[in-house]
Amino acid sequence: MQLPAMKKPSNARRIPKQKRSIEKVEKILDCAAQMMAENSADDISTHSVAARAGIAIGSVYQFFPNIEMIKIALIERVMNKLYLTILETLEQSGSSNLLELTTDMIDASLAFYERHQDTARTIILSQHSEAFLIVNEKINARIIEAIVAHIRRHDKSQCEDTVKRRVSVSVAVGDAMAVLVWSTKDPLERAELVKEWKIMVGNYALNINSQS
């Protein structure tokens, strides 16, 4: 007797609410992260993640209709943690100076990656994927908004559009440098890259000040 074909999942993602469902989703994401670290973002599938997690494929489809949704959820989990780290750094700073803020956020993000090596691997492995680009654009917009609001709260004399443009440049440079730093395995070379990163930020800040 031929079994009926499994109904193709829709593209809508169901958000877990009950504790058991939340734990199941976390297990799926944990296994996806492990598999990405072992192979690459392109080498995992919904079926392989379900098998690793020991969860029926139908149950996985309840929360993730396809592998891209798993990748997006995994990257969102990682990037949201980094976003919260940035917010904490802003809350602890009373400065409206972009150079000081950017330097503090570089140190905070590097400390975050140091504590969460799996996070760094996830970002590096997925940096060219569509899922990463979708999430990164969304999280960066929130980071830029938070930094601009912080600067304007401490110095309302600064033009909002100008501040937003400068912060956007700093965040874009930060994206590229963070990936470069954490793609480098040699700790000494990594430290040199961080120095170059801060020099780049400093030169940009000096150029801004000279134009003001």
Side-chain angles (χ1 to χ4, degrees):
M1 180 179 174
Q2 187 176 6
L3 293 174
M6 180 177 289
K7 186 178 179 181
K8 203 169 184 179
S10 69
N11 285 326
R13 180 185 162 198
R14 174 185 158 199
I15 305 300
K17 296 180 180 179
Q18 296 182 346
K19 181 181 177 182
R20 185 177 176 184
S21 295
I22 292 171
E23 290 173 348
K24 187 179 290 185
V25 165
E26 288 300 306
K27 186 174 183 181
I28 291 168
L29 295 179
D30 287 342
C31 289
Q34 292 167 10
M35 294 176 73
M36 283 177 63
E38 294 166 3
N39 302 289
S40 77
D42 295 329
D43 292 334
I44 65 173
S45 67
T46 310
H47 281 79
S48 63
V49 172
R52 171 69 72 90
I55 297 173
I57 186 66
S59 295
V60 175
Y61 279 143
Q62 287 182 358
F63 302 103
F64 303 105
N66 52 55
I67 191 61
E68 283 305 306
M69 294 303 291
I70 292 178
K71 292 177 184 177
I72 288 173
L74 176 59
I75 297 167
E76 278 181 338
R77 185 172 71 168
V78 169
M79 298 298 284
N80 276 324
K81 289 178 181 178
L82 181 57
Y83 171 68
L84 291 175
T85 298
I86 297 298
L87 286 187
E88 289 173 7
T89 304
L90 288 174
E91 287 173 2
Q92 293 167 8
S93 174
S95 175
S96 62
N97 182 281
L98 183 58
L99 173 58
E100 292 178 9
L101 287 173
T102 305
T103 302
D104 287 345
M105 284 185 286
I106 289 173
D107 291 337
S109 62
L110 291 175
F112 172 82
Y113 285 130
E114 194 68 49
R115 293 193 305 271
H116 304 282
Q117 293 289 326
D118 58 329
T119 295
R121 284 197 300 272
T122 299
I123 290 177
I124 291 167
L125 289 167
S126 61
Q127 62 176 301
H128 300 301
S129 69
E130 183 180 358
F132 177 80
L133 295 176
I134 291 170
V135 176
N136 195 50
E137 182 179 1
K138 182 169 64 175
I139 296 296
N140 275 352
R142 292 168 62 192
I143 289 173
I144 291 167
E145 183 181 2
I147 298 173
V148 170
H150 173 87
I151 292 174
R152 292 274 296 156
R153 187 163 55 249
H154 288 82
D155 184 359
K156 289 184 172 58
S157 67
Q158 297 194 48
C159 172
E160 185 172 355
D161 289 342
T162 301
V163 171
K164 186 174 182 179
R165 183 177 65 252
R166 291 171 177 173
V167 170
S168 297
V169 170
S170 297
V171 169
V173 170
D175 267 2
M177 288 304 300
V179 171
L180 180 59
V181 166
W182 284 103
S183 298
T184 304
K185 295 181 180 179
D186 183 356
L188 294 178
E189 179 65 19
R190 191 183 301 155
E192 290 301 314
L193 285 171
V194 172
K195 288 181 184 178
E196 295 293 337
W197 186 358
K198 290 183 177 180
I199 289 171
M200 193 184 309
V201 169
N203 287 337
Y204 180 55
L206 287 173
N207 187 51
I208 287 173
N209 291 335
S210 68
Q211 294 176 7
S212 299

